[in-house]
Amino acid sequence: MNDRFVNDRFVEVKPSPIAPARQEQPIFHSRTKHNRLLWRGLWVLFIVALSIRFYHLASHHWSAYVHDGASHAAYVGYVRVHLRLPPVDDDFEYPQQPLYYLLAAPFYNTHQNWDQNWDNLAPLGFCISAASLTLVFLSLRYLSSWLLRYGIFVFLAFTPAFVLASSCIGNDGLGFFFGAFCFYCILRLNRSPGTARHFIMAIGALLGALLTKLNGIVLLLALPWLLWRRARFDSSWKPTVTRLAVVVLLVTLWACGVLYRGWNPGSRQFVFAHAWMWDAMKINENRLVFWLRFDLSNLILAGQTTTTAGTPDEVRFSFPSWEYGNMLLGEYGYADDPVLLFCTRQVIVAGTYLLFGLAFFIFITLLSRPIWPWQNIFSLSRTVLLLIVGSTCLVLAFVYSDPVMCNADFRYQNFALPWIGYGIGRGLCAFPRSSVWRYTMVGFMVLYVYASLCLLTALYIRR
């Protein structure tokens, strides 16, 4: 499979028109058969990933992997009973964006107890997770490199932390859905920029993200690329100005609503977030050390990323180490079981190829195209890099405002998850002409899927 880099994406090289017809026909049929096999492989992975998530829901293992489930369920219950959003109060954490709670309210039964209502809300989380994975799968047809397709899907479908959060009670899952929806719309717009409905769908995804969680604001960083890509097919500047004015109006109305909801008359201040400052989780490390130190060896030895002293301080108080481990394993303990600890260490070691892919993506994106004339700045890969960096900076800002380990959780990057997967997959395509590189990356992906499935199987058997 020979690929080449064209217009910010990889495309397969077509047979030369000067080649004899008797040679072109077998090559065409061989490539078609090869593509069918690769699509079937993706279908198998898709079915396996959905099956694991359904088993996770049906076996009730999800109840051990819920973040702040009680607060989110109480929020849903309040909306169901009072038919309005609750006031700003510590009992409800902070004035969450309303969309998830409005969607979840019909599933809350006021005549049932707490545990029964948890069982009512978990299937909604599973449906949102399945829809998100489906959107990611549908997006793959708008990419032209098989290594990129598999790289994205393996990361998003089989990372253990994402599977364990697939039946979550809360708005994190819906955040991932709108991130995946925006991913789907932007890839469609990139392939067919002349179609207005793709642009409208992308703007709808941005608004849905803003109404789900405050960190959905990171997706607004894709707005310049959206406007530029759509404007290239306009004969005048007026349609672009009109679209920009409409988007600015919608975002302004949203911002006014956020300010109105966040105002606490009692304390006469705006409340947008609330964090509990437990001593065990408080970050006392030097900020530069916290931001820059990456201790992979201690992370492998720990085999987990918990907020308690069970995880070494070199991991807990190191943002890169914590983000990487938390991305793979979540904020859960595994060290009490030697089998689980062995499996988590496998996942951490196998997942290092994700770091290499992301590093190659950053390097290629920054150096692949010039920055002048200014039109060259707008590329899909650079927009993706901007989204990844913006999402990470939002998490760092949250940690800076309240230096608690929980605030550094990778789940706060849920809107950027598909874009992180895209960046990793693009980095895996760094040397498209090298068959050795390609098969090596495929080997790493197989090892990662194997390690992830081993951990999930061990969890379900031993717990």
Side-chain angles (χ1 to χ4, degrees):
M1 182 175 61
N2 296 320
D3 295 335
R4 60 189 176 92
F5 191 71
V6 174
N7 193 24
D8 229 11
R9 57 180 181 149
F10 289 94
V11 296
E12 296 178 1
V13 179
K14 297 181 179 179
S16 172
I18 63 174
R22 62 178 180 274
Q23 294 182 6
E24 182 175 347
Q25 196 69 13
I27 294 175
F28 175 78
H29 285 300
S30 175
R31 183 168 295 155
T32 301
K33 183 178 180 181
H34 183 64
N35 289 342
R36 287 176 181 172
L37 287 175
L38 289 172
W39 271 120
R40 288 174 184 173
L42 278 174
W43 270 105
V44 170
L45 293 179
F46 177 65
I47 293 171
V48 170
L50 284 183
S51 300
I52 294 172
R53 284 160 170 76
F54 181 76
Y55 176 80
H56 184 67
L57 171 69
S59 62
H60 214 270
H61 285 293
W62 59 266
S63 59
Y65 304 100
V66 177
H67 288 283
D68 304 323
S71 298
H72 290 295
Y75 211 114
V76 174
Y78 188 98
V79 173
R80 181 72 177 84
V81 173
H82 297 88
L83 301 179
R84 62 180 177 86
L85 298 175
V88 178
D89 192 286
D90 284 354
D91 291 339
F92 300 104
E93 291 190 326
Y94 45 86
Q96 298 272 11
Q97 300 304 292
L99 188 55
Y100 170 77
Y101 305 97
L102 295 176
L103 293 175
F107 296 88
Y108 193 96
N109 192 330
T110 56
H111 301 292
Q112 293 181 336
N113 60 33
W114 191 261
D115 291 335
Q116 289 172 320
N117 273 303
W118 270 46
D119 289 336
N120 294 338
L121 295 175
L124 175 62
F126 165 77
C127 291
I128 292 173
S129 174
S132 304
L133 200 61
T134 302
L135 281 172
V136 171
F137 183 77
L138 293 176
S139 303
L140 301 181
R141 63 179 294 192
Y142 301 104
L143 302 170
S144 301
S145 169
W146 282 107
L147 199 57
L148 175 58
R149 289 168 177 163
Y150 273 84
I152 293 172
F153 195 74
V154 164
F155 169 66
L156 295 175
F158 293 100
T159 297
F162 304 161
V163 176
L164 297 178
S166 60
S167 298
C168 72
I169 297 174
N171 50 14
D172 289 326
L174 192 61
F176 176 41
F177 170 81
F178 280 111
F181 188 25
C182 184
F183 181 69
Y184 172 77
C185 295
I186 285 181
L187 289 184
R188 289 199 65 178
L189 185 67
N190 188 48
R191 183 65 65 90
S192 305
T195 308
R197 70 173 181 275
H198 299 159
F199 177 82
I200 296 173
M201 289 168 61
I203 298 302
L206 294 179
L207 292 176
L210 293 175
L211 292 172
T212 298
K213 205 164 185 173
L214 278 178
N215 56 342
I217 197 172
V218 70
L219 295 182
L220 290 178
L221 294 174
L223 191 58
W225 183 89
L226 284 169
L227 292 169
W228 170 80
R229 187 66 173 158
R230 183 69 186 91
R232 296 187 69 185
F233 285 81
D234 294 328
S235 56
S236 67
W237 53 268
K238 291 183 180 179
T240 301
V241 173
T242 302
R243 284 191 288 267
L244 178 60
V246 171
V247 172
V248 169
L249 176 61
L250 293 174
V251 173
T252 302
L253 292 175
W254 168 81
C256 291
V258 169
L259 293 174
Y260 174 77
R261 283 279 302 139
W263 177 252
N264 190 334
S267 61
R268 299 187 64 80
Q269 62 181 357
F270 291 103
V271 179
F272 300 113
H274 183 76
W276 289 269
M277 298 291 289
W278 292 314
D279 291 337
M281 296 194 304
K282 189 173 181 180
I283 301 172
N284 296 312
E285 192 65 78
N286 178 277
R287 286 197 178 99
L288 282 178
V289 175
F290 173 72
W291 291 344
L292 300 177
R293 180 180 62 196
F294 180 57
D295 197 334
L296 181 61
S297 59
N298 269 311
L299 177 59
I300 294 172
L301 289 174
Q304 61 183 21
T305 50
T306 61
T307 57
T308 62
T311 300
D313 289 351
E314 291 81 5
V315 175
R316 291 194 304 152
F317 302 140
S318 162
F319 183 75
S321 306
W322 178 266
E323 284 290 282
Y324 174 59
N326 197 261
M327 174 186 75
L328 299 179
L329 304 171
E331 192 186 311
Y332 313 115
Y334 305 96
D336 57 339
D337 189 316
V339 174
L340 293 181
L341 185 59
F342 174 77
C343 293
T344 58
R345 287 170 174 171
Q346 280 191 127
V347 172
I348 294 170
V349 172
T352 53
Y353 90 97
L354 302 172
L355 300 178
F356 283 106
L358 196 57
F360 274 114
F361 167 71
I362 295 171
F363 182 78
I364 292 171
T365 301
L366 293 177
L367 300 179
S368 62
R369 299 181 64 177
I371 61 174
W372 190 261
W374 64 267
Q375 291 89 343
N376 289 329
I377 297 177
F378 291 100
S379 69
L380 181 58
S381 289
R382 284 182 176 164
T383 300
V384 172
L385 181 59
L386 183 63
L387 288 166
I388 295 173
V389 172
S391 179
T392 304
C393 288
L394 276 181
V395 176
L396 284 171
F398 193 26
V399 176
Y400 182 81
S401 63
D402 290 296
V404 182
M405 281 316 305
C406 285
N407 292 348
D409 282 0
F410 186 82
R411 61 193 176 93
Y412 292 122
Q413 304 220 37
N414 48 8
F415 290 97
L417 270 183
W419 305 106
I420 295 173
Y422 180 93
I424 291 169
R426 183 64 78 200
L428 299 182
C429 303
F431 304 100
R433 296 182 181 275
S434 172
S435 58
V436 174
W437 171 268
R438 184 164 57 249
Y439 290 124
T440 300
M441 293 301 103
V442 170
F444 275 119
M445 280 190 276
V446 171
L447 180 62
Y448 182 69
V449 172
Y450 165 78
S452 299
L453 292 179
C454 281
L455 173 58
L456 293 170
T457 303
L459 275 174
Y460 297 145
I461 292 175
R462 301 182 70 85
R463 290 188 176 179

